[in-house]
Amino acid sequence: MNINDFKNLTEKRRSIYNLSKDIKVSDEEIIEVIKHALTHTPSAFNTQLFRVVLLFNDKHYDFWDKTEDVLRKRSTKDFTKTELKMKSFKDAYGTILFFEDSDVIKSLQEKMPSYAEHFSTWAKQDISMLQYNIWLALTSLGLGVNLQHYNPLVDEFIKTDYLDNNSWKHVGEMVFGHPASNPSEKQFVPIENKIKIFGL
């Protein structure tokens, strides 16, 4: 990949909400790029504390069905918009649940107390890099992606349905599928407002 290929990929990576199950790649290809990102995404002190749960088929649909049930029970307003949003997630092909391993953070805090207050912040940065790497990888496969955050509302059933390790703390969900429409035009803050250069 040359620099222009990389630039094109980063520009193509967008939040796409109109997704379908009509993907053009195999489950194995999706799993492979996720495993690659898990292996090669950097982390503070090489802790590799990020974890994922990958949901396909009925498990994907079931996750968003249960999320909708949780939201319905808490809603005091018209639920129409939320129902349509849940349907858009169900119509997609799959979901990735992201976690941080709190046991790893706790162990590091005990081993390096002088850095203890920073490890939670670094963990969020590590997981953000993982999410971005996976997002780019899925985009390179021709998939559309969007990132959601329904934690902690859905954490109770996640622990029951998907986890056998209570140290995994849920931090977000990534929905992916075939992009059924193009994203809207993106507005950019002027670049001169976002960068300062010294020494040249």
Side-chain angles (χ1 to χ4, degrees):
M1 175 185 290
N2 62 38
I3 189 61
N4 287 328
D5 291 334
F6 179 73
K7 287 180 178 179
N8 290 335
L9 181 59
T10 58
E11 290 171 17
K12 192 175 179 181
R13 183 226 55 82
R14 296 287 307 279
S15 294
I16 300 177
Y17 299 98
N18 188 9
L19 302 171
S20 77
K21 293 177 171 56
D22 185 28
I23 66 171
K24 312 300 182 186
V25 295
S26 68
D27 295 344
E28 289 73 22
E29 289 175 282
I30 294 169
I31 293 168
E32 176 56 33
V33 297
I34 291 171
K35 286 182 176 180
H36 187 272
L38 281 165
T39 302
H40 295 287
T41 295
S43 56
F45 295 95
N46 196 32
T47 54
Q48 302 175 55
L49 52 72
F50 28 65
R51 309 285 184 261
V52 302
V53 169
L54 185 52
L55 306 176
F56 289 109
N57 300 310
D58 290 345
K59 293 297 184 181
H60 158 76
Y61 192 93
D62 183 62
F63 174 82
W64 291 108
D65 207 29
K66 288 183 176 179
T67 300
E68 182 176 341
D69 288 343
V70 170
L71 296 176
R72 280 186 184 279
K73 290 175 183 177
R74 297 176 63 91
S75 177
T76 57
K77 304 175 183 176
D78 178 37
F79 198 74
T80 304
K81 287 185 179 179
T82 304
E83 185 176 28
L84 289 172
K85 185 181 289 186
M86 293 298 109
K87 183 182 183 303
S88 76
F89 300 150
K90 294 175 195 178
D91 287 344
Y93 189 80
T95 300
I96 307 164
L97 307 180
F98 290 91
F99 303 84
E100 63 183 39
D101 193 330
S102 58
D103 278 354
V104 175
I105 297 175
K106 183 179 179 182
S107 174
L108 290 166
Q109 289 171 329
E110 292 171 351
K111 289 178 182 177
M112 293 179 274
S114 60
Y115 295 126
E117 65 180 302
H118 300 296
F119 280 113
S120 292
T121 298
W122 292 339
K124 291 177 176 59
Q125 294 170 350
D126 296 344
I127 290 171
S128 295
M129 286 190 285
L130 174 69
Q131 290 170 335
Y132 187 71
N133 281 345
I134 290 178
W135 201 329
L136 283 181
L138 295 177
T139 300
S140 75
L141 294 178
L143 298 173
V145 180
N146 63 75
L147 184 62
Q148 302 299 318
H149 299 90
Y150 285 96
N151 51 303
L153 298 178
V154 297
D155 289 0
E156 185 175 347
F157 80 76
I158 283 179
K159 289 179 181 178
T160 301
D161 292 358
Y162 310 117
L163 301 183
D164 55 9
N165 188 327
N166 289 328
S167 71
W168 289 23
K169 180 184 176 184
H170 176 225
V171 296
E173 315 87 34
M174 184 174 282
V175 186
F176 61 91
H178 175 72
S181 64
N182 294 321
S184 58
E185 185 177 351
K186 189 173 184 178
Q187 301 299 314
F188 295 96
V189 174
I191 193 65
E192 58 269 20
N193 294 358
K194 298 189 285 187
I195 186 171
K196 292 185 178 183
I197 302 171
F198 298 90
L200 293 180

